[in-house]
Amino acid sequence: LERIERPIIIEATTRYDLYKSGRLDLLQLDKAQLVAAEKDPELRSHIRHFDRPAIYYLGMNPLAEPVFGDLRIRQAFAMALDKDAIIASALEGKVQRADCIVPPKVPGHDPDLRGYPFDPHRARQLLAEAGFPDGRGFPRLRLHFREGRPDVRLAAEVIQRQLSENIGVRVQLRPLEWGSYLEAYNNKSLGLFHMRWMADYLDPQDFLSIMLTTEGGENKVGYSNREFDRLCALADVEQDPKLRVKLYMEAQRIVIHDGPWVPIYFQRDAELIRPEVMGIQDSLLGHLPHVYTSVRRR
């Protein structure tokens, strides 16, 4: 390749139309464009899927919304969410459900770990025990998420509907421009938010110690559990790889029980790549530098 051009095109439909017209060679798709491409007899053969080490979750921060300091309320929110329905409705079933925090193919991923089940009846019981029968008297919440991402908005809309229908908790959708979102996130002022975390490096430390220990640099929900901290601290310096992963998996079971996050799904990218594009190399973290990529023009 003599050069690579990466035009900034805000509108998803415009990007899709440019690909269809042959003016783009590679395009990452959101749900609407993926559905359209699957129905297109030519474009459906261009679709490629790539698993990524990233988790989308619902964060509950008692520093901004004190009601989330009650474990019963966090459990109720977790049990009120039908993850399979969120994935089917908002994401066409194209991603993998998340029941743990560490993504597949990253050491420490635990396919046997099960979080709280979808159980609206038990969720209503827990909410009543916490003093909010059928959601009555519950604070009006805002569900924050990044604007400009259609798939994220669709997932947030399903979460909003499920909380209302299943436990009587009404939330207002609050999309934020990314810079404003990050500022509020870093200030720990988001009470309820739909967020993604993607690996900086392929290690459970980046999802557990960094994100959720008491002093973790990316702990934006005020989560603190001494035993979780202890296990992560041991794992962070353990030299035996098998023991290290075991310690992280034990820590992960604790945080799933405590529920500062509700894991929802792991990221899976869908892209359109023209047949003329050859030699792309991919890793779990994304496409590698295009030193072997070529484009054979007709």
Side-chain angles (χ1 to χ4, degrees), residues 17-84:
D17 290 341
L18 287 172
Y19 184 92
K20 287 178 63 179
S21 68
R23 296 171 64 187
L24 295 177
D25 294 306
L26 186 152
L27 176 65
Q28 187 166 326
L29 299 167
D30 60 29
K31 173 190 169 183
Q33 278 68 53
L34 176 58
V35 171
E38 288 178 330
K39 295 177 180 178
D40 188 297
E42 178 184 359
L43 294 187
R44 65 187 175 203
S45 65
H46 298 191
I47 299 171
R48 299 273 301 279
H49 292 281
F50 302 93
D51 292 322
R52 299 301 182 210
I55 182 171
Y56 282 85
Y57 64 93
L58 184 70
M60 294 171 284
N61 176 17
L63 301 177
E65 291 289 351
V67 70
F68 289 129
D70 191 323
L71 174 61
R72 295 169 297 183
I73 289 175
R74 299 195 303 274
Q75 291 173 327
F77 271 57
M79 292 184 184
L81 296 184
D82 184 346
K83 299 177 188 180
D84 293 332

Side-chain angles (χ1 to χ4, degrees), residues 28-260:
Q28 187 166 326
L29 299 167
D30 60 29
K31 173 190 169 183
Q33 278 68 53
L34 176 58
V35 171
E38 288 178 330
K39 295 177 180 178
D40 188 297
E42 178 184 359
L43 294 187
R44 65 187 175 203
S45 65
H46 298 191
I47 299 171
R48 299 273 301 279
H49 292 281
F50 302 93
D51 292 322
R52 299 301 182 210
I55 182 171
Y56 282 85
Y57 64 93
L58 184 70
M60 294 171 284
N61 176 17
L63 301 177
E65 291 289 351
V67 70
F68 289 129
D70 191 323
L71 174 61
R72 295 169 297 183
I73 289 175
R74 299 195 303 274
Q75 291 173 327
F77 271 57
M79 292 184 184
L81 296 184
D82 184 346
K83 299 177 188 180
D84 293 332
I86 295 170
I87 291 168
S89 176
L91 300 155
E92 290 293 312
K94 303 297 184 182
V95 297
Q96 181 177 331
R97 170 190 171 122
D99 288 306
C100 62
I101 291 173
V102 179
K105 301 180 183 178
V106 177
H109 173 70
D110 189 349
D112 298 322
L113 182 57
R114 292 291 177 264
Y116 291 103
F118 174 54
D119 189 344
H121 176 70
R122 179 58 181 150
R124 288 191 293 271
Q125 287 181 332
L126 287 165
L127 206 63
E129 290 173 14
F132 305 101
D134 297 320
R136 292 193 299 273
F138 200 86
R140 180 61 65 93
L141 301 177
R142 292 181 174 181
L143 173 54
H144 301 85
F145 59 93
R146 180 179 180 177
E147 72 174 3
R149 297 296 179 93
D151 292 353
V152 171
R153 171 175 276 279
L154 287 170
E157 289 172 350
V158 179
I159 292 169
Q160 177 193 43
R161 183 169 66 250
Q162 290 184 355
L163 291 174
S164 176
E165 293 175 353
N166 295 331
I167 55 175
V169 171
R170 299 184 182 278
V171 301
Q172 177 187 1
L173 296 182
R174 184 75 170 96
L176 292 174
E177 180 272 328
W178 184 232
S180 299
Y181 185 105
L182 279 180
E183 182 179 4
Y185 173 78
N186 287 325
N187 290 335
K188 304 180 182 180
S189 60
L190 300 180
L192 183 68
F193 55 96
H194 180 36
M195 180 61 159
R196 181 193 80 152
W197 179 257
M198 183 169 180
D200 299 296
Y201 50 100
L202 299 177
D203 192 273
Q205 181 190 59
D206 196 42
F207 288 87
L208 299 173
S209 304
I210 300 297
M211 296 298 297
L212 289 161
T213 56
T214 302
E215 301 300 327
E218 291 296 326
N219 182 352
K220 309 301 182 182
V221 292
Y223 176 65
S224 183
N225 180 300
R226 289 184 180 180
E227 180 62 9
F228 177 82
D229 289 351
R230 186 186 73 84
L231 290 168
C232 286
L234 290 172
D236 287 347
V237 298
E238 176 57 53
Q239 298 299 300
D240 181 334
K242 290 184 179 179
L243 177 56
R244 185 169 182 267
V245 167
K246 181 181 177 181
L247 290 167
Y248 280 127
M249 291 175 77
E250 290 179 17
Q252 188 170 201
R253 294 185 189 103
I254 292 172
V255 78
I256 288 296
H257 172 268
D258 288 349

